Amino acid sequence: MKKNDRLWVTAFLLLSMVFLSAVFAVQGSLLSTMIEAYRLDAARQGLANTMAFAGGVLALFCAFLVQGRCRKRTLLKVALTICAAGLVLMWLAPGYGLYTAAWFITGFGLGLMDTLLSACMADLYTGRQAVTMMCILHTAYGLSSVFSPMGYAALLGAGLFWKRVYLIIAAVGLLLVFGALLVRRLLRMEDPEPICPTAADPRRILPALREGHLLWLVAAIFFHGIFLSGLNTWINRYADTLPGTIALPAQSCVFLGLMLSRLGMPFLPIKPEKYVAVGGLLGGAVLCIGLLIPNGWVLRALLMVSSLLFGALIPCVLTLGCGRQPQNTLLATTGIMLALYLGQAVSAPVIAALEAAISLKAGMLLCALCMALCSLCCAADASRERRA
């Protein structure tokens, strides 16, 4: 691919990642307003999130089935359009039933985007540059996660009707699609990705991952999903029970460390396979110390240190997986992202059960253990690669 074309495609992928993060962020930002508008009881308040997750998991299975049959950048534009359609449907939805159906559609589009963005970026770059660009891609997600809620709050504060926020985001997504199509036509860009019209068999998922030397990485990301979702969901609640609590949310400390870690990873004199094998162990140990010292200030400081140590793990694992499957990067990203989604699904009920049976601290310590298990799986993967 020409250098100028690669830059345009890279810009499109980064803007698409910002859009992806903005859609994920809107659910939490408008949650209270939505609950009040539809007058929901406690049992139905999480249904929209469940539907979005179900749509995302279905999308990842579908991504496996269409691998090699469609060009990834074409599928990415389709996924963007699906997300925009789901957002428009939320704007139109007169009742909660149609609203949750719209989140299923949107979740399907988000799931496709989640795996396609990393696969498309892996197709553009190789070697150390691949690690750099994958980290930048996922840093874009983190930056958008920080600033999108602020934008939504400003829109609501200015008196905008809450459903129109969905319409604005949908318009941004459609502009991205039309802009990409226009640039491709004006620059006469070509997509060199080969097409192999052979349908994948769902029964071949595990054998394909095993043959691609991806199983240890998939296991690592499953544990990382439990850890990250558990920390993201519960850490503010746990931190607020400690003495020395301050206004800065503990969750913000985690995300700040994540972004700094991903920005700094390309400049570290360490290979990705060594980073993923060590970063999680160190990060898990630091987190464990922070949880065992009952002080809000100490916990927040060590949360930031911990996330600095493990924050670039997802883009590094994606880079490693795609590097082993350069002819089929979608297989690698789909297997890894599916494991991440499933780990996130397991996390909430397991930690809730631990809180009920023992304490919330036990649930948080499980997060630290899962981070260590993630790195042990990465170390086992590196050991297997050296023997191969």
Side-chain angles (χ1 to χ4, degrees):
M1 180 182 288
K2 299 176 184 176
K3 183 178 180 180
N4 193 46
D5 291 353
R6 182 181 289 110
L7 290 175
W8 277 106
V9 174
T10 300
F12 171 63
L13 296 179
L14 291 173
L15 289 172
S16 297
M17 182 61 95
V18 169
F19 173 80
L20 171 76
S21 174
V23 178
F24 271 122
V26 76
Q27 192 172 51
S29 298
L30 301 184
L31 181 63
S32 297
T33 307
M34 181 271 293
I35 290 171
E36 184 179 344
Y38 286 120
R39 299 179 181 179
L40 302 178
D41 55 39
R44 296 196 298 159
Q45 290 174 8
L47 183 58
N49 181 65
T50 302
M51 293 293 282
F53 171 77
V57 171
L58 178 62
L60 290 170
F61 277 111
C62 290
F64 177 82
L65 298 177
V66 300
Q67 59 178 315
R69 294 169 59 85
C70 303
R71 289 185 173 89
K72 289 189 280 292
R73 295 210 300 270
T74 300
L75 278 175
L76 180 56
K77 296 182 185 78
V78 171
L80 270 162
T81 305
I82 291 171
C83 284
L87 290 163
V88 171
L89 190 57
M90 286 178 218
W91 171 59
L92 295 171
Y96 190 57
L98 188 57
Y99 178 84
T100 57
W103 265 114
F104 179 85
I105 294 169
T106 305
F108 185 90
L110 292 173
L112 277 180
M113 287 184 68
D114 226 351
T115 187
L116 287 165
L117 283 167
S118 296
C120 288
M121 189 64 85
D123 289 342
L124 294 178
Y125 300 93
T126 58
R128 188 70 185 182
Q129 200 173 18
V131 180
T132 300
M133 295 311 299
M134 195 71 79
C135 285
I136 290 174
L137 180 69
H138 287 265
T139 300
Y141 180 95
L143 287 170
S144 180
S145 296
V146 171
F147 292 108
S148 293
M150 298 179 189
Y152 299 142
L155 288 172
L156 295 175
L160 186 74
F161 180 56
W162 69 281
K163 278 193 172 184
R164 289 187 181 175
V165 175
Y166 298 127
L167 193 60
I168 292 171
I169 308 170
V172 171
L174 291 175
L175 280 174
L176 271 174
V177 174
F178 292 141
L181 293 172
L182 181 62
V183 168
R184 181 177 179 180
R185 172 166 290 191
L186 291 176
L187 298 183
R188 297 179 181 179
M189 295 169 59
E190 296 183 359
D191 191 341
E193 182 182 352
I195 296 295
C196 179
T198 303
D201 185 341
R203 293 171 296 182
R204 286 283 302 156
I205 294 179
L206 280 178
L209 294 174
R210 186 182 302 112
E211 292 162 10
H213 300 170
L214 297 171
L215 282 182
W216 278 115
L217 293 179
V218 166
I221 288 296
F222 173 76
F223 286 119
H224 190 67
I226 297 174
F227 157 79
L228 198 57
S229 178
L231 205 64
N232 187 39
T233 304
W234 301 92
I235 195 61
N236 280 346
R237 181 178 175 185
Y238 175 74
D240 290 343
T241 66
L242 301 177
T245 294
I246 56 176
L248 178 65
Q251 187 182 28
S252 297
C253 297
V254 176
F255 277 106
L256 181 58
L258 280 171
M259 284 191 295
L260 292 174
S261 179
R262 291 171 182 180
L263 284 171
M265 174 61 201
F267 305 102
L268 295 178
I270 183 172
K271 293 181 179 180
E273 52 269 29
K274 289 185 178 179
Y275 171 83
V276 297
V278 175
L281 281 173
L282 295 176
V286 171
L287 175 60
C288 189
I289 294 170
L291 293 170
L292 293 174
I293 299 175
N295 183 276
W297 287 84
V298 173
L299 176 63
R300 284 165 173 79
L302 293 184
L303 277 172
M304 190 172 296
V305 173
S306 175
S307 56
L308 277 169
L309 290 167
F310 70 75
L313 192 140
I314 291 178
C316 284
V317 167
L318 285 166
T319 302
L320 290 171
C322 291
R324 292 176 196 169
Q325 292 289 311
Q327 76 288 354
N328 191 2
T329 52
L330 190 55
L331 169 66
T333 59
T334 300
I336 290 168
M337 295 310 298
L338 183 57
L340 183 67
Y341 274 47
L342 293 176
Q344 290 171 337
V346 168
S347 180
V350 169
I351 292 176
L354 280 173
E355 181 184 11
I358 308 173
S359 67
L360 183 54
K361 179 182 282 190
M364 294 295 92
L365 287 170
L366 173 68
C367 291
L369 174 62
C370 284
M371 192 66 256
L373 289 173
C374 170
S375 272
L376 288 175
C377 288
C378 290
D381 174 77
S383 176
R384 192 205 61 78
E385 284 297 297
R386 286 194 296 268
R387 293 196 305 269

